[in-house]
Amino acid sequence: MAVDYAVIVVYLTGMLAMGWWGMRRARSKSDFLVAGRRLGPAMYSGTMAAIVLGGASTIGGVGLGYKYGLSGAWMVLTIGLGLLALSVFFSARIARLKVYTVSEMLDLRYGGRAGVISGVVMWAYTLMLAVTSTIAYATIFDVLFDLNRTVAIILGGSIVVAYSTLGGMWSITLTDMVQFVVKTIGVLLLLLPIAVVKAGGFSEMKAKLPTTYFDPLGIGGETIFTYVLIYTFGMLIGQDIWQRVFTARSDTTAKWGGTVAGTYCLAYALAGAVIGTAAKVLYPDLGSADDAFATIVKDELPVGVRGLVLAAALAAVMSTSSGALIACATVANNDIWSRLRGAVRPTGDEHDEVRGNRAFILVMGLGVIGTAIALNDVVEALTVAYNLLVGGLLVPILGGLLWKRGTVQGALASVIVGGLAVIGLMAGYGILANEPVYLGLSASLVAYVAVSLATRPTDAAVLAAWRERLAGRNPEPLSEPVPAHQ
């Protein structure tokens, strides 16, 4: 394994070097949080694909392929479909807003007062997303170095926290671009063809496996619908995804670059399912489907290639983890802390802006590592995160973009009713049940429409300013959140 170890060490060292280089470019708040809004199509596409395709899409996608065959691709397919929908229908408008967080968008649209509550929900989502990504380091480093779970989490998490804290979004963008290349080579160009060949080709796979493994809907219609509801809609509203949209150089870059990234996700989904299906032929009796990725990599790949593919898995986890971490810190600082303290942040000292956001990334990163060590069930944590996100924020965000009659009172009612309904239903039905997100989303929609229609329409001046911002005619970003009393 010496050569494989060397590949991994070089990769991890490169990530830290990218963080140091990114620190030299992060001179302003815009540089630090959204890479100066200067990413062109190639870099935007690569980094967007990197953040949405994490450990769940790679290790979990192969595991679903092992368990269900080709229909195991549906989880990652719905992620790709969500990114395509975001890019084609909403990303241009989102990019033109020139804000830093989803809550700032809600304040612009509704005229204030929605920021702190929506910020708390978004913060909980991004925190849990970062935690679940960090826990995944334990699996990868166990395969690589046979490390203790806690040590593995600290090692992987510390590297991500280090380069994210140093250079913010510039460091994350540079590392994500490298991670995108590593994932493409490791998973699509190496592991996929090798796995199929080792399994004897598609004809042999069909001969040895039940026909359900090649049924596109074999995973079940209800499961596919749930994936669409959670992941496709989740892609439309997550702070981690929006913050990448904010990095685009133009609304055209956001639209077409995101479309390329979404299409790439669809190919990645099919690749993971095929690799998992091949693993089922090679290892029909694995104790856990999630072991399929590590097993086929460890046993079937040649020296050097094995290290690169494991680096690809590490890249997948790191890209999602770093994206969720900076999103979590941005929301905590800009949407919660700055509003609760009531102080006016100095707008003339960009160094202080960078220093404050850097401190929040460090604090949130340490909190993520500590939570990851204490937490055991990754699936439950991720389910809680997405249920809160979709149940609490989907309706007011999409309602604000699509329905001019929506009001701030309706948005607040939607967030509160949807969030509380999801929490209560998870307590009653169980965290992994489908009912919490179904019924919670329905309650959120009813509250939004009913309260909006029962209250005075949004002030015409607020809507006029919103339309100007959406059209890109007022490009200056908010320096401060809208005060709660306005």
Side-chain angles (χ1 to χ4, degrees), residues 95-167:
R96 287 196 291 265
L97 290 174
K98 303 296 184 186
V99 295
Y100 292 103
T101 68
V102 174
S103 294
E104 285 185 23
M105 168 263 169
L106 291 173
D107 277 347
L108 273 173
R109 165 60 181 83
Y110 294 111
R113 297 199 298 248
V116 173
I117 295 175
S118 62
V120 169
V121 176
M122 190 64 78
W123 175 80
Y125 157 72
T126 53
L127 177 71
M128 284 296 99
L129 186 60
V131 166
T132 54
S133 299
T134 303
I135 290 173
Y137 296 129
T139 301
I140 299 171
F141 281 113
D142 178 56
V143 175
L144 287 173
F145 307 118
D146 194 26
L147 286 179
N148 171 270
R149 178 182 183 275
T150 300
V151 174
I153 289 172
I154 292 173
L155 175 60
S158 297
I159 292 171
V160 170
V161 171
Y163 73 68
S164 300
T165 302
L166 285 172

Side-chain angles (χ1 to χ4, degrees), residues 194-201 204-205 208 277-279 281-282:
I194 290 174
V196 172
V197 170
K198 291 282 188 178
E204 188 71 13
M205 291 162 63
K208 290 187 175 181
T277 304
V281 173
L282 294 167

